[in-house]
Amino acid sequence: MANLSRLNPEQRIAAETIRGPVLILAGAGTGKTNTVTHRVAHMVDQGISPENILAVTFTNKAAREMLQRVNKLIPKGPTRDDGKPLKPTVCTFHSLCVRILRRHITKLGYKRNFVIYNESEQLGVVKKILSAISGKDVKADPRELHGLLSRLKNAGSSGAGKIFGSEEAVAMADHIRSRYDTALKAANAVDFDDLLVLTLKLFQEHPDALEESRQRYQYVTVDEYQDTNAAQYELMHLLAKEHRNVCVVGDDDQSIYGWRGAEISNILDLEKDYPEIKVIKLEQNYRSTRVILDAANAVIKNNPQRRPKQLWSAKGQGEMIRLQSFEDEEQEAEAIVGEIEFNRMGKRIPWKEHAILFRTNIQARPLETALRKAQVRYNLIGGQSFFDRREIRDFLAYMKTMVNPNDDASLLRIANVPVRGLSDVTMERLLAASQERECSVWQAMKNDLVIHEFQPRTRKSIEEFVTLVEEFREPLKAENLQLSAWADQFLDDIDYERELKKGEKNPENAENRMRNLRELTRTMDNKGETLIPSNRLVKFLDDITLDAEREEDREEKGDMVTLITTHSCKGLEYPHVFLVGVEEGLLPHSRSAEEGTLDEERRLFYVAITRAMQTLAITHCRTRMKYGSKVLCHPSSFLKEVPEELCDELIDSEPVSLNEGRDMFAAMREMLD
């Protein structure tokens, strides 16, 4: 039984309102997850089958945490016929779409074992398309184009005009998107945006699939609702508009992902589709002191388009917010690291209770330098995983193909890398042939009846690829094979370095990528290994996969200072927060004026403030290095919105007071004793 008496009055109303549309406006730190999990448990208590309950959130971490909490609240819930407990579905939007597509994607012409391309694989496809049409005066940055394609997919039916403006630009975008979609389908692959787009397409073209999902998910909860885009809203609405048992939980004041398609209008205009919706506000904050919340409330009220709410706390007044300016980013970094060390040695505050927040990744460099110099351990959240690099993924796909050529996902990734006459159209035909014959693409490539349907030149390319794979698979049977030498020889034979140089404007980048590969091949042989080479290769690939998963799941562990961007910090909290570089051009960002996103930048500042539990320091510099030279900086206009009576403005390098000094040395003596 869920004990709702532990909730405050507003949380309890939210947990008990389980039928009909509900909007829970949950301010920062107001116990949103606790409320939602108690609400799900209360549904089960009221006789609703867990199988009919769906809770959708945005990250795997949030989904895992929510499911763990729900399981604790309903440990002895209903069971299946086999005695296993029935559980609600708690997952991300993308995981939900994967579940639906694994059941129904064959209706859209894909195989059930489709592979999901990550960002580096998607960029590789975009680069190939650009190189193919570069003779048509097309000049575009692959990353920018990939971002536009993503926005186009997520913007819904009317999105192209909004994003691209002119009809000519829309036509070009549609042309590139069509080629991109064809390239992915040829590899039996989808990207993250496709998971949503294809699920919507499935629901629109196959009403039976939609009806099955509606029958299954009769109670829908969407967490972090302010982050939903047009496609996610459409998916939620399709599932919920008949039974109308939909609960959305979010905070328009924390909508900071407009640049990746999040629509704040989804939370502001909800009454258009659900006029009977009940709005419940959660305003009691359990995280921060009153000073921090008063500052946050004062800042965010300057945004005109918002649902009014006022955070309050019973945690006491707390320390004043410290404002400090520095000559440059080096001085700023050294002062912050000095304060962290003062807190650790003088006040016994461990490193892990400190976080340094910044608007852009480039601001991390001087902070990392100062932390290393002081031998302070830190965790920089974000940055590309080694295993996400294009060259590593290509190489691992080749190695997986050597182990098992029937692995469609791996073979389709590398069939035309480097280019060898196996175009996307060719691979799509081979994939279709493999589906007809219910065999792998590799078996289709070796089938004379299949390949004789191709032009002689294409047939030759297919045969040469099959020969290449078979020739390099053969040595894996020899007992004394050195895998590293064998892999290096393979990379040389296919001239992979030339392929890398073709895809990089800067030759040095290509050399670095090749160096990454050579470093990886050197780890393929373990001294004293008794397995035959093919089994050693399987073990190598298994170990790599596990390492990649460990790296992807790596969260804050041990005693470390957290370095994190203001976008990545949402949902997190730290006792002691340093918000650095609060300057015009950084926060708010210089692009915000021309793009009309000043309100979103203010929400970003609000999110950063509300991460702090006990103390908050805000810093800015008078000069900062930009493109190799110093430029003048000015304090952010947002700082004027923080009430003066909540702040202590410190002068540069202000000395520690006599009493503070005595306290520090007393604490140090106590620690040493």
Side-chain angles (χ1 to χ4, degrees), residues 280-299:
I280 302 162
K281 293 183 187 179
L282 304 184
E283 295 171 297
Q284 182 177 356
N285 176 287
Y286 293 92
R287 175 187 298 155
S288 308
T289 62
R290 281 205 296 274
V291 162
I292 291 165
L293 295 181
D294 288 350
N297 288 329
V299 166

Side-chain angles (χ1 to χ4, degrees), residues 312-331:
W312 63 276
S313 170
K315 288 188 77 175
Q317 185 72 1
E319 290 185 29
M320 302 279 267
I321 294 168
R322 295 193 318 286
L323 293 181
Q324 192 165 9
S325 68
F326 295 97
E327 182 55 39
D328 57 30
E329 63 265 51
E330 270 78 22
Q331 196 186 92

Side-chain angles (χ1 to χ4, degrees), residues 245-462:
N245 297 319
V246 59
C247 170
V248 299
V249 189
D251 180 8
D252 50 313
D253 290 336
Q254 295 184 75
S255 179
I256 58 173
Y257 295 120
W259 50 278
R260 68 181 189 201
E263 301 264 6
I264 193 169
S265 59
N266 286 353
I267 202 165
L268 295 176
D269 302 336
L270 203 55
E271 284 88 349
K272 286 180 183 174
D273 287 320
Y274 298 93
E276 76 274 35
I277 198 161
K278 182 172 184 175
V279 180
I280 302 162
K281 293 183 187 179
L282 304 184
E283 295 171 297
Q284 182 177 356
N285 176 287
Y286 293 92
R287 175 187 298 155
S288 308
T289 62
R290 281 205 296 274
V291 162
I292 291 165
L293 295 181
D294 288 350
N297 288 329
V299 166
I300 203 63
K301 74 178 183 189
N302 291 290
N303 271 3
Q305 294 276 296
R306 62 184 289 263
R307 290 180 181 261
K309 66 192 81 67
Q310 187 83 1
L311 294 181
W312 63 276
S313 170
K315 288 188 77 175
Q317 185 72 1
E319 290 185 29
M320 302 279 267
I321 294 168
R322 295 193 318 286
L323 293 181
Q324 192 165 9
S325 68
F326 295 97
E327 182 55 39
D328 57 30
E329 63 265 51
E330 270 78 22
Q331 196 186 92
E332 179 184 51
E334 284 170 11
I336 288 167
V337 173
E339 186 168 344
I340 289 170
E341 282 298 80
F342 170 78
N343 285 348
R344 185 175 71 93
M345 292 191 287
K347 299 180 182 177
R348 292 187 170 184
I349 300 170
W351 284 328
K352 67 182 177 184
E353 293 189 10
H354 300 84
I356 308 173
L357 278 50
F358 37 85
R359 174 66 176 82
T360 63
N361 276 308
I362 202 163
Q363 290 170 259
R365 186 199 57 76
L367 294 161
E368 285 193 83
T369 303
L371 288 160
R372 283 195 187 123
K373 192 174 166 186
Q375 297 185 317
V376 174
R377 287 196 298 276
Y378 66 90
N379 179 23
L380 175 62
I381 294 180
Q384 189 186 36
S385 162
F386 177 78
F387 301 101
D388 282 341
R389 297 175 193 277
R390 179 191 133 204
E391 67 276 13
I392 302 298
R393 282 189 167 267
D394 281 351
F395 177 73
L396 294 178
Y398 259 119
M399 294 300 103
K400 286 175 184 175
T401 303
M402 294 301 172
V403 166
N404 174 20
N406 296 306
D407 174 355
D408 282 357
S410 296
L411 183 139
L412 289 166
R413 177 183 172 91
I414 47 78
N416 207 36
V417 179
V419 174
R420 53 171 66 89
L422 299 175
S423 68
D424 292 334
V425 173
T426 299
M427 296 314 296
E428 196 163 359
R429 283 179 63 190
L430 285 166
L431 186 65
S434 76
Q435 283 174 307
E436 280 170 31
R437 287 166 171 73
E438 296 185 343
C439 66
S440 69
V441 175
W442 171 253
Q443 287 166 332
M445 291 175 117
K446 296 182 74 175
N447 186 316
D448 288 342
L449 293 174
V450 172
I451 66 168
H452 273 86
E453 292 176 11
F454 289 90
Q455 294 292 326
R457 196 199 300 182
T458 305
R459 194 160 62 237
K460 186 168 182 282
S461 295
I462 295 169

Side-chain angles (χ1 to χ4, degrees), residues 350-354 376-379 554-562 574:
W351 284 328
K352 67 182 177 184
E353 293 189 10
H354 300 84
V376 174
R377 287 196 298 276
Y378 66 90
N379 179 23
R554 185 171 66 89
E555 294 167 8
E556 251 182 292
K557 288 187 177 78
D559 190 14
M560 298 184 192
V561 175
T562 298
Y574 305 94

